[in-house]
């Protein structure tokens, strides 16, 4: 998958120039409070206009994971199911949701890159 494809998928989460916390929460089927925990920011930060850049930075890794998973799974619905429920090998039964909540979105991205490259991780 090219970076252009990621940009197109990630654009679905945008609201103007920044990512929309509401759209990401709806996509995942979680509340804004749950999304705030997942992204590692305060719940009020997600809704404050002045925090748009901070929210954008916090949501970017999550949106990248979702865009890659959607492309690889073939549908948005399957990507969400994978993100929330499928344990990632080598992480003791933890899902991408669990790892992202723990601040390890980079590990999930590395896993997806490896799988996309043909490495079974």
């Amino acid at each position: 998958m090219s970076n252009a494809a990621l940009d197109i998928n990630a654009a679905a989460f945008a609201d103007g120039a920044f990512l929309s916390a509401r759209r990401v929460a709806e996509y995942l089927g979680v509340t804004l409070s749950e999304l705030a925990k997942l992204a590692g920011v305060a719940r009020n930060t997600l809704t404050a206009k002045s925090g748009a850049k901070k929210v954008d930075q916090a949501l970017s890794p999550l949106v990248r994971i979702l865009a890659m998973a959607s492309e690889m799974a073939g549908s948005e619905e399957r990507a969400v199911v994978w993100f929330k429920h499928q344990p990632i090998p080598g992480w003791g039964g933890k899902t991408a949701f669990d790892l992202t909540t723990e601040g390890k979105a980079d590990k999930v991205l590395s896993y997806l890159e490896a799988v996309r490259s043909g490495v079974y991780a």
Side-chain angles (χ1 to χ4, degrees), residues 45-88:
T45 303
L46 292 180
T47 57
K49 294 284 186 194
S50 61
K53 286 185 181 180
K54 184 175 182 178
V55 171
D56 202 58
Q57 290 174 340
L59 293 178
S60 288
L62 176 58
V63 168
R64 184 163 170 81
I65 290 168
L66 293 172
M68 287 179 70
S70 179
E71 181 72 23
M72 293 168 71
S75 76
E76 294 176 357
E77 294 81 12
R78 290 175 72 184
V80 171
V81 169
W82 171 83
F83 181 78
K84 292 170 106 177
H85 303 290
Q86 183 65 43
I88 294 177

Side-chain angles (χ1 to χ4, degrees), residues 10-46:
F13 300 107
D15 186 15
F18 297 103
L19 295 172
S20 168
R22 181 187 51 77
R23 287 186 184 173
V24 175
E26 287 174 0
Y27 182 86
L28 286 172
V30 298
T31 66
L32 284 176
S33 295
E34 291 169 323
L35 180 62
K37 184 178 178 184
L38 185 62
V41 296
R43 196 249 183 250
N44 291 341
T45 303
L46 292 180

